[in-house]
Amino acid sequence: LKPPRPPLPTMSRTIEEIKAEMTQAFMNDATTQTAYGFSANSKFSDHFSTLSIENILFYVFAVCAYTIERLTETHLSQVEATITALRPHTCTWYQTMALAFRYGETLDPNTATYATVATSDTLMPISQCAVTENSGGGLTIKVATTDSSGSLTPLEPSVLTAFKSYMADIKDAGIATNILSQAGDRLQLDLTVYVDATVFNLDGTLITEPTCPVENAIREYLTMLPFNGELVLEHLIDHLQGVSGVEVPHINTATTCAIDPTGMSENGYANMTAIDVRTTPESGFFRISFSSSDDWASTITYRSKS
């Protein structure tokens, strides 16, 4: 086995730290001590003012050194990210290849890559992808696309068929892949939220405008989750506590369900199951509704703290 690469060096020095190192070396140099007539223990600031030519030059040198260090650090990070993404046989490599899928184009049979360079007109439908290794072997690849409103949605059947064919062409021989692209997991919350009655109406809207900040904050939190990211109920509470006018948010119950793989349920979804502290969506992302027309809608009861 090859040993792992050492971590990238960090050069997080400030301009002042770089300048201090330069001026200290300048003051410790015997030639400059003789030329300027100061002792070995003298400080740079004792002999040179802020507007002195020496101080200005050292500042310019320090800015140049700082800029080079930052550029080098950024370049190293970009190189490391590229190497990680291109390293074959890893989950990250499979994710990179999945995101590079182009619907309607043919792979080069000799290289398992596309013969042409991608353009803005090229249809690349995979906007989100997560790859995980199964305990029994093989990989699960979850993918989703983005609709016109910016919401995640499953791939169209024809696109999914083409994607599965693409993955079969580029994957390693003998590696089983389970490819999922399905509607988001339903998330159903029952909350009691104590609010400042000088800010909120008890229907959840603001007194000053007809918006529902708590509902918006919940949607925002779900949007902030990475694809296939873990929903942590305590983190959701923390996010709601950041809403101005919210005093005490409390989750009474939290349940979720994914698409029923058997296809036997009437609404296409499996039964709701309780969330114990945290959960990862089967589809890779969650859907939530506050509409009374949905039988799986979340409910929020508002109460005045006073």
Side-chain angles (χ1 to χ4, degrees), residues 223-246:
T223 301
M224 290 166 53
L225 290 177
F227 187 70
N228 206 43
E230 191 175 58
L231 166 66
V232 181
L233 296 181
E234 190 64 31
H235 294 172
L236 174 57
I237 289 294
D238 292 341
H239 188 71
L240 294 179
Q241 286 178 327
V243 177
S244 179
V246 170

Side-chain angles (χ1 to χ4, degrees), residues 189-212:
L189 302 173
D190 177 26
L191 299 95
T192 299
V193 180
Y194 292 86
V195 295
D196 183 349
T198 65
V199 177
F200 275 85
N201 296 308
L202 293 186
D203 62 355
T205 60
L206 292 176
I207 292 176
T208 56
E209 55 181 298
T211 60
C212 296

Side-chain angles (χ1 to χ4, degrees), residues 40 54 67 71 95 113 129 196 206 218 220 228 233 248 265 289 303:
E54 291 86 353
T67 302
L71 290 173
Q95 181 187 45
T113 59
C129 175
D196 183 349
L206 292 176
I218 293 173
E220 180 183 60
N228 206 43
L233 296 181
V248 180
S265 64
S289 171
R303 295 180 180 172

Side-chain angles (χ1 to χ4, degrees), residues 99-106 114 116-126:
L99 292 170
F101 165 67
R102 303 185 211 168
Y103 182 53
E105 293 195 21
T106 304
Y114 291 105
T116 60
V117 177
T119 67
S120 57
D121 296 328
T122 300
L123 180 57
M124 301 177 71
I126 310 297

Side-chain angles (χ1 to χ4, degrees), residues 151-209:
S151 300
L152 291 178
T153 186
L155 300 180
E156 294 290 337
S158 59
V159 179
L160 181 59
T161 299
F163 176 70
K164 288 180 177 180
S165 176
Y166 163 81
M167 292 303 299
D169 288 338
I170 63 98
K171 75 179 184 67
D172 294 322
I175 299 297
T177 56
N178 178 30
I179 298 176
L180 296 178
S181 184
Q182 58 192 42
D185 293 24
R186 289 177 172 178
L187 176 64
Q188 186 178 51
L189 302 173
D190 177 26
L191 299 95
T192 299
V193 180
Y194 292 86
V195 295
D196 183 349
T198 65
V199 177
F200 275 85
N201 296 308
L202 293 186
D203 62 355
T205 60
L206 292 176
I207 292 176
T208 56
E209 55 181 298

